[in-house]
Amino acid sequence: MELLKLLYEYFPMAVNTGKCLVFISEDWRVELTEHKNSNFSDSSKNSPIIRVRIFKKALSGEYIPGHFEDFQLDTVSQLAEQIEKYVQSAVGQNIREDV
């Protein structure tokens, strides 16, 4: 959860639910969750994984899960930058302002 707290500082428009960071717009929901690397044989990466899940709002008003991507980068600034690029590409909006 420590990494999510650092990302929360980078994305002030997010809502911290205690379990994840959430960005919501009229058409999209984006969730960032922190996971520990469960592959103990891979000692090269000890940093947590941030999973970014994208949901699209259906005509019924419910958010339908779309795709997700896992991020594991060395620095928080690199991580936040790549997450921002990914979400912008997926939803076509800037998550720091619009989503």
Side-chain angles (χ1 to χ4, degrees):
M1 292 300 289
E2 190 65 33
L3 188 52
L4 278 182
K5 289 178 186 175
L6 294 172
L7 287 172
Y8 182 64
E9 293 175 14
Y10 188 83
F11 299 116
M13 300 301 291
V15 174
N16 187 344
T17 69
K19 292 191 225 178
C20 66
L21 297 182
V22 179
F23 305 89
I24 298 177
S25 73
E26 287 185 31
D27 299 320
W28 300 98
R29 176 183 172 101
V30 178
E31 293 180 355
L32 278 62
T33 53
E34 186 173 333
H35 302 272
K36 300 292 182 198
N37 188 356
S38 60
N39 183 0
F40 298 110
S41 65
D42 183 13
S43 61
S44 63
K45 296 268 188 178
N46 291 327
S47 59
I49 295 169
I50 297 295
R51 177 164 290 167
V52 179
R53 296 178 62 199
I54 308 286
F55 299 82
K56 174 81 171 147
K57 193 171 198 177
L59 294 175
S60 66
E62 293 187 40
Y63 289 98
I64 307 299
H67 50 279
F68 70 89
E69 190 67 44
D70 291 337
F71 290 83
Q72 188 176 27
L73 297 167
D74 293 331
T75 66
V76 175
S77 60
Q78 261 187 326
L79 180 63
E81 181 182 309
Q82 293 305 311
I83 288 171
E84 185 174 11
K85 284 181 184 180
Y86 174 76
V87 174
Q88 277 183 277
S89 296
V91 304
Q93 294 178 321
N94 186 337
I95 62 174
R96 294 186 79 184
E97 298 169 4
D98 299 327
V99 172

